[in-house]
Amino acid sequence: MARIIGGLGTTHVPSIGNAIAKGLQKDPYWRPFFSGFDYVHGWLAREKPDVAVVFYNDHGLNFFLDKLPTFAIGAAKEYRNEDEGWGLPVSKSAAGIPELSWHIIEKLVGDEFDVTMCQDMLVDHAVTIPMALMWPGPAAWPVKIVPIAINTVQHPLPSLARCLRLGRSVGRAIESYDADLKVLIVGTGGLSHQLDGERAGFINREFDTLCLDKLTVDPTALTQYSIVDFVEQAGAQGVEFLNWMAMRGALTGRTQELHRNYHIPISNTAAATVVLENRPLPQRKAA
Ligand code: DHB
Ligand code: FE
């Protein structure tokens, strides 16, 4: 059966892609952020996942405001990127694993999550930047991906509780997949940030810390926040944390925070990187 090795949460700010393209990882502005990935590289080298299931939000590349699914899942052999207008080089493509995607879709619909199924899907910086951070360099990424897009853009948004439950359903689906695969769960975006309007540049370190603390030990506690509460506390784009809630939901076992890096700011964003371990629960003995 497929096994979930753990979860990774990371910011996906597009300018990180420019810093990578220009080789600025050791520059004083960028170093505190990129150094947070040293641990991640060692962990991934040890754990060697075969697949990454990536919860993210599309920012207008594949979906636009005219048609915006609440939850969409890729079932393609390959996911391409295109010019998104951020001045970034177009990213290499990610390989898909359609058989696993369809298995997850079957289980999600069985659990009454009526997801949009995408056999053709472009992925934007919210997928490609985290991939480039996890596996730097020109070589093809060493995992296949299942991208799952959550609407964090056009209100009404799904609640934190709903995204946690979506993640739980995905976690159960993965663990019922009959193949010897190691699966990493990724949640991208956040933490607090607001890109436009009167509060542009808004960041809330105290609230981010609370979210990260609760994420590992008691994610259900965060479901008390409505989307409006969350926007107030974390900024209009801080709701990208919904992707982190889904990631956490998919961790089916005992969860422990192995690594955290938090740095303010990268561009307009409070940048965070977290690694969560997922240890299988002891098997219950048959009665
Ligand atoms: C920024 C952050 C984002 O999450 C994003 O999608 C685009 C830009 C930023 O801080 O610049
Ligand atoms: Fe974003």
Side-chain angles (χ1 to χ4, degrees):
M1 290 293 167
R3 183 164 69 80
I4 297 167
I5 59 160
L8 179 127
T10 180
T11 299
H12 61 220
V13 179
S15 59
I16 296 165
N18 271 323
I20 293 172
K22 293 183 184 149
L24 298 177
Q25 291 90 335
K26 298 218 157 36
D27 179 275
Y29 178 86
W30 289 103
R31 194 189 187 105
F33 173 70
F34 279 100
S35 64
F37 272 81
D38 294 347
Y39 178 89
V40 175
H41 298 152
W43 184 69
L44 291 173
R46 285 193 300 279
E47 296 288 339
K48 295 187 184 57
D50 305 292
V51 175
V53 172
V54 185
F55 292 100
Y56 75 107
N57 58 293
D58 182 89
H59 302 68
L61 181 67
N62 193 73
F63 303 112
F64 199 61
L65 302 179
D66 60 335
K67 297 179 202 73
L68 194 39
T70 299
F71 301 125
I73 174 166
K77 282 201 189 106
E78 190 188 36
Y79 301 96
R80 280 187 312 103
N81 176 233
E82 277 181 3
D83 185 0
E84 300 172 47
W86 296 100
L88 290 178
V90 170
S91 164
K92 63 187 151 201
S93 301
I97 176 165
E99 320 80 84
L100 175 58
S101 290
W102 284 115
H103 175 81
I104 295 173
I105 291 166
E106 288 272 352
K107 297 291 180 187
L108 281 173
V109 175
D111 278 351
E112 300 178 356
F113 283 98
D114 304 319
V115 289
T116 299
M117 305 160 224
C118 304
Q119 299 194 62
D120 188 13
M121 191 185 202
L122 295 171
V123 291
D124 76 357
H125 65 273
V127 172
T128 60
I129 298 280
M131 294 295 282
L133 285 166
M134 288 187 284
W135 293 286
W141 292 318
V143 293
K144 294 177 173 172
I145 72 163
V146 178
I148 305 182
I150 297 179
N151 168 32
T152 70
V153 175
Q154 177 157 276
H155 293 253
L157 309 185
S159 67
L160 282 95
R162 181 103 176 118
C163 293
L164 188 65
R165 285 202 300 272
L166 174 82
R168 287 187 178 135
S169 181
V170 169
R172 286 194 298 272
I174 293 166
E175 290 193 327
S176 68
Y177 188 61
D178 189 10
D180 186 18
L181 291 175
K182 288 192 272 183
V183 181
L184 167 70
I185 314 290
V186 182
T188 91
L191 291 184
S192 58
H193 64 301
Q194 171 139 348
L195 300 179
D196 44 21
E198 278 175 21
R199 291 202 309 163
F202 176 80
I203 277 176
N204 186 346
R205 176 191 285 268
E206 207 177 310
F207 186 68
D208 288 339
T209 306
L210 181 141
C211 288
L212 292 180
D213 289 348
K214 290 288 177 204
L215 186 71
T216 307
V217 296
D218 186 13
T220 309
L222 296 171
T223 63
Q224 67 170 301
Y225 294 99
S226 69
I227 292 295
V228 171
D229 294 337
F230 208 88
V231 167
E232 259 169 31
Q233 294 290 332
Q237 280 73 40
V239 282
E240 291 179 344
F241 190 73
L242 290 176
N243 302 317
W244 294 55
M245 287 296 281
M247 174 273 281
R248 175 63 182 88
L251 304 181
T252 48
R254 283 216 186 97
T255 307
Q256 195 189 331
E257 186 184 274
L258 297 178
H259 171 69
R260 180 192 299 194
N261 186 43
Y262 182 83
H263 175 69
I264 294 174
I266 289 296
S267 185
N268 290 299
T269 297
T273 306
V274 162
V275 175
L276 304 181
E277 179 186 45
N278 183 57
R279 268 193 293 152
L281 296 173
Q283 294 286 325
R284 270 204 217 127
K285 286 209 185 95

